[in-house]
Amino acid sequence: MYKLSIPLLQFKNLPHLYARLTNSAMLKKTALFLVVILLPLFPLTTFAWGVTGHRIVAEIASRHLTPQARKAVTAILGRQSMAMVANWPDFIKSDTTHKYDHTSSWHYLDFPPNSTRQQFDDHMHTQTDENLYIETQALIKKLKDPATSKTDKQFALTFLIHMIGDMHQPLHVGHADDQGGNKISVTWFDKPTNLHRVWDEHLIEFQQLSYTEYTQALDTASVTEIRQLQSGTISDWMFESNQLSDKIYKLTKPDSKLSYRYNYWFLKDMNEQLLKGGLRLAALLNGIYK
Ligand SMILES: [Zn+2]
């Protein structure tokens, strides 16, 4: 999406630029033609909660750290906030040296449609490639290990913050054949997009809140509710997300025209996922830094 926004703007502006340079109707037509044929060539796949979603999860987590965990996190991240490092694992996908390419499979884990808990566990535990589940465990282990260098801790903590967010975006634990909804075309308020992106970005952006406003609005659970939401294991959380993805697939057929009603159907689910992601990230960090 980051690579996408700038070229899109430029191409959208092309007709206006041409019109300024010359009044030639021919040129205007050429520019419009270019827009029409070039737009579909830009990749419309994305692989994570958008920037705001990750920041909300990280910001909620930072508000629920124990004093020990807060101290440890500050020692690793320095003056950077958890919210502001949360998107780095997506930003590095644009690194031209390709040194982080091996991490691109860490952001998701796909499952067969409508998996029961048993099928889900069987599938997850038979995967051997680097994936969201395996790498989350590895990062936690790394953070707990006193021998880990500060640089490696920075890398591990930044990725853990990001991946607990991804884990709560239901389409990051969706189905393989449609690449977590990336291959399901829909429109969002008449603009062509895909189902994955609706959940990464469009639904969140529709609320028109900054990540701090969003955090403030969501972070209102009682102590009892917080304990309840923080309970369970990483596999429990991923299964819950996976079940929500099945509900999403059922209610969002390909080529659906999504707008106000979709927001009405799913806003509560999405907000709960953001809150759970934040509270559970805090629980994990509080457990690591006891
Ligand atoms: Zn991601």
Side-chain angles (χ1 to χ4, degrees), residues 124-169:
M124 187 152 74
H125 295 301
T126 49
Q127 303 302 303
T128 49
D129 297 339
E130 297 184 2
N131 65 52
L132 181 59
Y133 182 69
I134 289 176
E135 294 309 316
T136 301
Q137 316 286 335
L139 294 171
I140 292 171
K141 215 172 140 196
K142 211 159 217 170
L143 287 171
K144 280 182 173 169
D145 183 353
T148 305
S149 71
K150 188 173 172 187
T151 313
D152 287 350
K153 277 185 187 166
Q154 281 170 341
F155 182 90
L157 178 58
T158 303
F159 259 92
L160 186 66
I161 292 168
H162 183 88
M163 284 156 66
I164 300 303
D166 275 348
M167 192 178 285
H168 287 81
Q169 204 285 44

Side-chain angles (χ1 to χ4, degrees), residues 60-71:
I60 291 175
S62 78
R63 290 161 60 131
H64 291 270
L65 296 179
T66 58
Q68 298 99 291
R70 182 177 308 283
K71 209 175 142 196

Side-chain angles (χ1 to χ4, degrees), residues 47-48 90 107 162 166:
F47 303 97
D90 278 335
H107 299 252
H162 183 88
D166 275 348

Side-chain angles (χ1 to χ4, degrees), residues 27-44:
L27 266 180
K28 277 191 216 169
K29 273 184 190 164
T30 311
L32 273 171
F33 175 68
L34 277 175
V35 171
V36 172
I37 58 158
L38 288 177
L39 275 186
L41 299 181
F42 287 96
L44 286 173

Side-chain angles (χ1 to χ4, degrees), residues 2 50-63 65 70 73 77-89 91 157-158 161-162 210-213 215 281 285:
Y2 317 103
V51 279
T52 311
H54 278 292
R55 285 181 187 146
I56 295 165
V57 168
E59 184 69 8
I60 291 175
S62 78
R63 290 161 60 131
L65 296 179
R70 182 177 308 283
V73 167
L77 297 182
R79 269 180 265 177
Q80 304 175 93
S81 67
M82 287 171 66
M84 291 313 287
V85 302
N87 288 288
W88 185 76
F91 296 160
L157 178 58
T158 303
I161 292 168
H162 183 88
S210 68
Y211 80 87
T212 49
E213 288 168 341
T215 298
L281 173 59
L285 294 172

